[in-house]
Amino acid sequence: MSPTDDVALAEATAVARTLVGDAVAVSRLVTGGRNSRIWRLASGERAFALKQYPSRKADPRDRLTTEVGALRLMERHGIDTVPRVLGVDGARGFALLSWIDGSDVSEVSNADIDAAIVFLAAIHGLRAAPWAAEQPPAAEACLSGREIEQQIQGRLARLRDTARDERELVDFIDNSVAQRLAAESPKARRAATAAGLAFDAELPQEWRSLVPSDFGFHNSLRRPDGSLAFLDFEYFGWDDPVKLTADIVLHPGRPLDPPQRKRFRQAATRLYGGDPAFARRLSAYLPLFGLRWVLILLNEFIPERWQRRVLAGETGSWSDVKARQLAQARAFLATLAGKLEA
């Protein structure tokens, strides 16, 4: 263990003792989140999870407050497939959560897709509940077609600026991603217009929903009885459910096969179909969300993003990780058309 790890363990142990109110044994979960650290606590027969969030200096987004607010909202309304908040140390950036026994969801079944829809339906049902209005916008909410375009352009500019010496990366984003964007943006605008949508206008509040942004089977656990529990609500908030649906259909971390994508997309259309334009908006914007995911796969090229990965437990060399991510981005773009099929 490095001196830095020793310091982190000592801090986590001190926080854990205060929040649990008893002696604890602390161990690091190397399978924790890609941005936050997860510690497993044992105190007698009891087990807890201690989550350590990134410093606000490294990431101005208040991940702790967002996740704690989301979990408490779900607890008030009886949603029991998520951890419970047992304590918070806001000054040092920790939350004490109930421990959920489970394993990685390595294979996704139709029953898992149905369980995810049931969970999303429960959250969608909270949008008119007390405390719902207090929830923030979801991280990188996309409430218009123009916002999706702007986020893509912003990611392109940042990659060009911070990785200008990465020749393969620059060639890929200039000659593949940017060219694809130049073709897809006008098509998305035409599709939106044909569907009677205002590409540049924000979605009215009545069609927005509370969503667990960055939701998917990569942030799930399979419990011993085979059911799913859902984790990681640092990005929770108000958004267009089209973005949530697109992210699950396209997510490279736990890719769905074509029948599963179709199953989820049809179920989401039923769930959010109170908005008469939901299905048309999803079809119009899905290619843009695909390009957005290509660029998300390249986050590791950005130094501060890489440092967050290291602090969260990434052990590979930066050069190896960048090569891996660039290969994944190329493969994702090459197969994107097939992922867009209804």
Side-chain angles (χ1 to χ4, degrees):
M1 185 178 289
S2 70
T4 300
D5 289 335
D6 287 338
V7 171
L9 177 60
E11 182 183 27
T13 301
V15 171
R17 287 173 178 163
T18 299
L19 293 179
V20 173
D22 204 347
V24 293
V26 181
S27 57
R28 171 78 179 281
L29 283 186
V30 296
T31 56
R34 300 186 73 195
N35 293 292
S36 301
R37 288 181 172 182
I38 309 293
W39 306 85
R40 187 184 189 279
L41 313 183
S43 180
E45 298 298 318
R46 300 177 299 168
F48 308 90
L50 183 68
K51 188 166 185 179
Q52 181 180 9
Y53 297 82
S55 165
R56 296 288 297 279
K57 295 179 181 178
D59 182 354
R61 186 185 303 116
D62 193 347
R63 295 168 181 260
L64 184 153
T65 298
T66 297
E67 181 158 43
V68 167
L71 291 173
R72 285 176 170 165
L73 176 66
M74 287 185 270
E75 181 177 11
R76 289 187 189 108
H77 293 275
I79 298 175
D80 61 1
T81 50
V82 299
R84 294 287 181 245
V85 178
L86 304 176
V88 177
D89 185 332
R92 289 183 283 189
F94 288 82
L96 181 69
L97 306 174
S98 60
W99 180 260
I100 297 178
D101 281 318
S103 58
D104 185 55
V105 181
S106 56
E107 295 186 9
V108 178
S109 68
N110 286 343
D112 295 332
I113 292 174
D114 296 343
I117 286 291
V118 169
F119 176 66
L120 293 174
I123 293 178
H124 185 57
L126 300 181
R127 62 196 186 283
W131 303 289
E134 300 173 9
Q135 302 303 313
E140 297 189 337
C142 290
L143 298 173
S144 69
R146 180 178 62 180
E147 175 61 28
I148 308 169
E149 277 189 337
Q150 289 176 339
Q151 288 192 19
I152 294 170
Q153 293 287 7
R155 287 179 177 275
L156 281 169
R158 192 171 188 191
L159 282 167
R160 288 191 183 106
D161 183 57
T162 61
R164 63 186 67 182
D165 295 328
E166 303 277 356
R167 294 182 181 179
E168 288 191 57
L169 172 68
V170 173
D171 176 72
F172 175 62
I173 61 178
D174 284 348
N175 297 317
S176 295
V177 182
Q179 288 186 12
R180 187 73 169 267
L181 178 62
E184 294 293 353
S185 285
K187 289 198 295 187
R189 285 181 174 273
R190 289 194 297 269
T193 301
L197 306 174
F199 187 87
D200 293 333
E202 284 199 349
L203 187 71
Q205 178 63 37
E206 64 181 310
W207 304 129
R208 302 178 193 182
S209 186
L210 289 172
V211 299
S213 193
D214 194 30
F215 175 76
F217 299 103
H218 63 297
N219 280 329
S220 305
L221 287 177
R222 190 173 305 285
R223 295 185 287 197
D225 64 0
S227 64
L228 297 185
F230 302 102
L231 313 171
D232 198 351
F233 299 94
E234 298 176 20
Y235 302 150
F236 185 94
W238 291 97
D239 203 349
D240 184 348
V242 156
K243 176 175 179 285
L244 170 77
T245 304
D247 285 349
I248 295 173
V249 168
L250 297 170
H251 202 295
R254 289 292 187 279
L256 304 180
D257 63 33
Q260 290 175 330
R261 288 198 298 267
K262 183 176 181 180
R263 186 184 188 91
F264 184 85
R265 187 168 174 176
Q266 290 177 340
T269 299
R270 290 192 295 271
L271 172 59
Y272 300 115
D275 171 3
F278 175 85
R280 290 172 290 164
R281 197 164 65 253
L282 177 61
S283 294
Y285 297 162
L286 198 58
L288 296 181
F289 282 116
L291 293 176
R292 186 177 178 275
W293 265 112
V294 171
L295 298 175
I296 290 172
L297 284 167
L298 300 171
N299 275 346
E300 278 78 359
F301 281 86
I302 300 172
E304 56 267 33
R305 296 294 185 94
W306 170 246
Q307 286 304 313
R308 289 214 297 269
R309 299 286 193 256
V310 171
L311 290 173
E314 175 64 61
T315 58
S317 73
W318 194 16
S319 60
D320 288 346
V321 170
K322 287 189 289 187
R324 180 194 70 202
Q325 294 303 117
L326 180 55
Q328 288 185 7
R330 289 185 189 277
F332 189 90
L333 183 60
T335 59
L336 179 57
K339 296 179 174 67
L340 304 178
E341 298 174 359

